[in-house]
Each structure stands twice: as C-alpha cells, then as structure tokens.
C-alpha cells in the first residue's frame, strides 16, 4: 500500500480471486475544506472508494477505503459539502493510487501505447493501449523558459512531410516541435518568446526568413556540420560527374597471359564444359557455310550467341569472366596460407587455428574455400581492386590527410594526376577544412571567389548560396555555437517514432520526446 498511512486504519486484509483486498477507513476526525481551509467534523454521508494500488508479490491490490462527505460550515465558503482525501493515497476522481498512476504514466512515456500496455500486463496492471495513451496525454508539459541559445532543425515525419524541432542549446532539452517547416510558424513562436539571443540553424532559406521576421535582433548561426555536409554533397556530385575518371585510382593491372593455344585443355567446371560444347557445336555447323540465322535455328540458340562462338578461336574466349572479387578479412593472411601450403600443411582446420592465433576473426569455412584452388593445382584467388564509387571518392577527399590510409593516399594521387577537376576540388575542400579547424573566417571571401571561378557547376552554386548567407556562415565558422544538440535530439525522436511504428501523431510525439528528455535528466 502507498505511504502516508497515518490517516488510514486498516481493518482487514484477505485474498480473493487472486487479488489482495484491503478494507480500510480514515482515522482523522476533523478534515479541512479544500476551498476555505476550515476544519469540519460534521458528516454528511459515508461511502466506500475502490482504489487500485501497486501489486504485491505479483498479485493486484484493491483497496476498499471508507470515506466521509462532510459539511463546510464556513460562513463565507461557497462549498456546501466536500469529500475527504488521504494524501498519498487518493486524488479527486482517481481510481488508482498516486504510485500506481505514476507507474502507468511512466510506462506510457517510455514505451508508448502497445509497449506500455504489455509491460503493465506483466506487472499485473491490465490496461488497454488507448488508456495508457490517454493517461500519458493528460500530463502537462513542463514549462520551458525562453532560451538564450535556440537550436532549430527539421526532421522527416513521413514521406515528404517534415516537422520542426526546437531545442534549448544551453540545457540541451527539447522545447517544442510541430508539423511543417515554414517561416510563419517559427516567426510566430519567436514573437511569443522574446529574448532569444542566438539561433543555430542549417542553411535553409525558410528558417532564415522566419528568424529574421520573429527575432530580428537575434544572431543567426549557420551550423558548421551542415556547412560541411553541404560541401560534401557538392564533392559527391563532382565525383559523379567525372565518373569516367575514377578507374584511374586503381593501379594498372598486370598484363593478362595470352589465351591458351592448346584446345585440348580439359574444362574443370560445368560452365567451362558448357562453353566447350557450344563452341564445338557452332564450329561444326559453321563449316557448312550457312548463315548465322540458319545456324541459330538449327541449334536452338540466340543469333548473338552463335555469332560470339563463331568469332572465337578457342572455347576459352567464350567463358564468362567474373568481376574481381571484393577484399575480405582473410586477404592479409593469404600469403601465409600459401607459404604453409608449400611447406606441406594441407589441413584447413590447422591453417585456420594458426591464423586465428595471428588475429584472424573469420570462420573456418572461409579458409577451407580459400585453399580449395591449391588442391587442384591452381593459385589462390586474390582480390582484384575495383574502381571507387563517387561516394567513396567524396569520402576520401573530405577526410583529413592525417587520417587517410596509405592505400587511400596513393589512390588519390593517381586520381588527381588524371583528373585536374577533382584535384582542384580537393584543394578547395582542404582550405575550408582549415578555416573550420582554426575558426578563422578571414579567408572566406577569397575562398568563395575561388569557388565561383572553379568552372564547376556544383561549387559555383554553393558559392552563390553561401554569399547570400555569409554573416551566418561567418558565425558558424568563428563561434562555438552549433546544432549538435539538435542532431542528437532528432536521433532520439526517430527512435521514439520507430517504437510507435511510425503511427504517432504530432501531439503524442511532442509529449513523448519532451517528457522522455526530462525523465532522463531526472534519473541520470
């Protein structure tokens, strides 16, 4: 039973139908009127309140509390009668104790409707999901003071519908969120909360206009993360536009051996045997001088297949060549496996145990497959390097030079020697990175001039956008204010959306995000 029992007298406790039942009554003679505060002992009537309390030993608890309704004899009080309440046990119009009600609300805050209802069912507090959400939405949101530093960012609600999240950058707590990302809503919120000094945002023109309308004296800061993200997207676009140059990052492969002239070579796989059979069948029919269409009809093959085999000088030319395989975690140990094989160790289990001792974390089956060609007298299949993707090249360019691997550095050297546009892009990216690291915006005007003169459409458009927002960009480079808190809160918001299967409306999402943040702050 709940605390504060000095005003309650327990008369009987028993178990019936798996429920712990408690019969109790109040023990105080005089009760104060909730309006005027005057004590009264004159009884109007008596009745029994049925209250649910926290379970005991896995059994639900039900309290039958006999309470009184009393007259208020205060001369100036408008209330004629009132029911007595027990602090910590009863509340007006409430059929649960405060502790049980707190448990229901916390289940709703942490797990939403279905998850909260399942947890309460395990705790022997059966409640439907709609009831859990009803009690959650009854909780008033904590009043938030006007922040000095405000973070503004958008998030995706679903499909192409976006919302806006406001975060206090000093306390790191969410303040409000709503559907939409238009300037009018943001400006209206800022007008009703005067006193905001700094606003951190992305490069959105909508938020820029809303801040200018609602808080014209506030300093706008274009977040450095979004600045770097925007530049990285332009670099990826440039790499995609120069996709034909990307194979230059791969070293020149070794010249392939000439095709075998021994046509009597025995094929060792079903695909090679099939290629040899088709080659012999096509060349047997082609000696009669028929056309390709006639040979295709006779053999039941496609005309292009017949033409390919007819042009080939040996069946090996018709075997499909697979692309080079991707590198795996076993590749650093291939030389060791080859060496041990030449030394006479041909057991895959032993070889696997030896490379595990050297740090290999993969499975035995991969080792067995790697040495399978050696059993047939063939070399180990070594990985062939593939050309990098535009996204991978953009990641290489935006990574600091001190954090690049030797392989990446060498690949970029070959790529820049072949493509001067990517080389120029790399120089501009490193200049902007130096400005962010040193928090020095003095080179920004010259850097923007270089972007405009680069003759690369992606960078030219970026230069135009940054010039229009140059004061906020300077603040983002030189000041410590940023939207990192917003990004963290949006990550948490997406988690809450997934917990509710993406079906939560904006009011419910607002309640859970704000209450969850305050709950974590309280119990951290």
């Amino acid at each position: 039973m709940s605390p504060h029992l000095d005003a309650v007298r327990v008369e009987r406790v028993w178990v019936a139908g798996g429920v712990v039942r408690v019969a109790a009554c109040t023990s105080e003679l005089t009760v104060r009127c909730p309006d005027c505060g005057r004590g009264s002992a004159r009884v109007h009537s008596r009745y029994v309140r049925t209250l649910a309390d926290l379970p005991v030993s896995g059994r639900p608890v039900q309290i039958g509390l006999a309470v009184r309704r009393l007259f208020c004899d205060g001369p100036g009080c408008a209330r004629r009668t009132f029911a007595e309440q027990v602090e910590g046990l009863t509340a007006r119009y409430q059929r649960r104790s405060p502790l049980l009600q707190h448990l229901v609300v916390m289940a709703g805050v942490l797990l939403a409707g279905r998850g909260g209802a399942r947890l309460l069912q395990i705790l022997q507090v059966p409640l439907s999901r709609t009831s859990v959400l009803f009690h959650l939405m009854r909780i008033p949101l904590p009043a938030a003071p006007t922040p000095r530093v405000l973070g503004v960012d958008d998030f995706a609600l679903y499909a192409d519908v976006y919302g806006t999240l406001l975060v206090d950058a000093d306390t790191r707590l969410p303040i409000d969120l709503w559907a939409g990302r238009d300037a009018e809503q943001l400006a209206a919120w800022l007008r009703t909360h005067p006193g905001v000094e700094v606003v951190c945002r992305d490069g959105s023109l909508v938020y820029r206009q809303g801040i200018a309308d609602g808080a014209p004296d506030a300093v706008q800061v274009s977040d450095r993360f979004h600045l770097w993200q925007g530049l990285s997207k332009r670099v990826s676009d440039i790499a995609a536009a120069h996709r034909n140059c990307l194979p230059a990052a791969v070293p020149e492969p070794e010249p392939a051996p000439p095709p075998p002239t021994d046509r009597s070579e025995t094929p060792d796989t079903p695909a090679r045997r099939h290629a040899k059979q088709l080659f012999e069948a096509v060349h047997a029919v082609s000696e009669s001088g028929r056309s390709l269409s006639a040979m295709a009809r006779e053999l039941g093959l496609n005309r292009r297949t017949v033409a390919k085999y007819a042009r080939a000088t040996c069946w090996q030319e018709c075997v499909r060549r697979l692309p080079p395989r991707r590198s795996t975690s076993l590749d650093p140990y291939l030389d060791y496996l080859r060496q041990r094989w030449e030394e006479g160790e041909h057991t895959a289990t032993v070889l696997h145990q030896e490379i595990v001792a050297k740090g290999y974390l993969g499975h035995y089956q991969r080792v067995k497959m790697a040495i399978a060609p050696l059993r047939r007298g063939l070399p180990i299949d070594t990985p062939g390097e593939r050309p990098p993707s535009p996204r991978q090249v953009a990641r290489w360019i935006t990574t600091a030079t001190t954090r690049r691997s030797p392989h990446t550095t060498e690949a970029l050297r070959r790529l820049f020697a072949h493509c001067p546009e990517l080389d120029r892009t790399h120089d501009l990216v490193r200049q902007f990175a130096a400005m962010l690291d040193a928090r020095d915006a003095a080179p920004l005007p010259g850097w923007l001039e270089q972007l405009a003169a680069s003759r690369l459409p992606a960078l030219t458009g970026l230069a135009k956008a940054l010039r229009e927002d140059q004061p906020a960009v300077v603040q983002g480079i030189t000041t410590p204010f940023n939207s990192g808190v917003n990004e963290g809160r949006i990550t948490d918001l997406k988690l809450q959306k997934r917990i509710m299967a993406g079906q939560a409306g904006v009011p419910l999402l607002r309640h859970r995000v704000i209450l969850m943040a305050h709950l974590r702050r309280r119990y951290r």
Side-chain angles (χ1 to χ4, degrees), residues 402-417:
T402 56
R403 301 181 60 183
R404 295 174 186 163
S405 64
H407 173 270
T408 300
T409 302
E410 184 62 21
L412 285 178
R413 184 191 63 78
R414 291 189 294 265
L415 181 60
F416 294 158

Side-chain angles (χ1 to χ4, degrees), residues 252-379:
E252 291 291 335
E254 298 180 0
T261 57
D262 183 10
R263 301 193 179 193
S264 62
E265 177 188 351
T266 302
D268 58 347
T269 63
R272 295 169 69 86
R273 287 193 292 269
H274 179 68
K276 183 178 180 181
Q277 293 172 1
L278 287 182
F279 176 81
E280 293 173 350
V282 170
H283 278 264
V285 178
S286 63
E287 293 175 357
S288 61
R290 301 180 186 178
S291 65
L292 293 177
S293 299
M295 290 189 293
R297 286 193 297 269
E298 180 177 346
L299 297 174
L301 299 175
N302 186 279
R303 187 178 184 279
R304 294 182 180 179
T305 303
V306 173
K308 180 181 73 172
Y309 279 88
R311 288 194 301 266
T313 59
C314 60
W315 64 267
Q316 290 87 345
E317 296 180 8
C318 303
V319 177
R320 178 182 297 177
R321 288 172 172 77
L322 299 176
R325 70 171 180 85
R326 296 183 182 273
S327 59
T328 66
S329 59
L330 184 62
D331 294 341
Y333 306 95
L334 292 180
D335 293 338
Y336 178 80
L337 293 176
R338 189 181 299 109
Q339 175 187 347
R340 294 290 290 131
W341 183 274
E342 294 173 354
E343 294 173 357
E345 183 54 68
H346 297 169
T347 306
T349 305
V350 176
L351 293 174
H352 176 257
Q353 293 173 352
E354 292 180 0
I355 62 176
V356 165
K358 293 180 174 292
Y360 177 63
L361 301 177
H363 196 267
Y364 149 80
Q365 193 69 24
R366 180 166 288 181
V367 178
K368 179 181 177 182
M369 295 175 61
I371 64 174
L374 295 176
R375 300 186 186 279
R376 302 193 301 268
L378 301 174

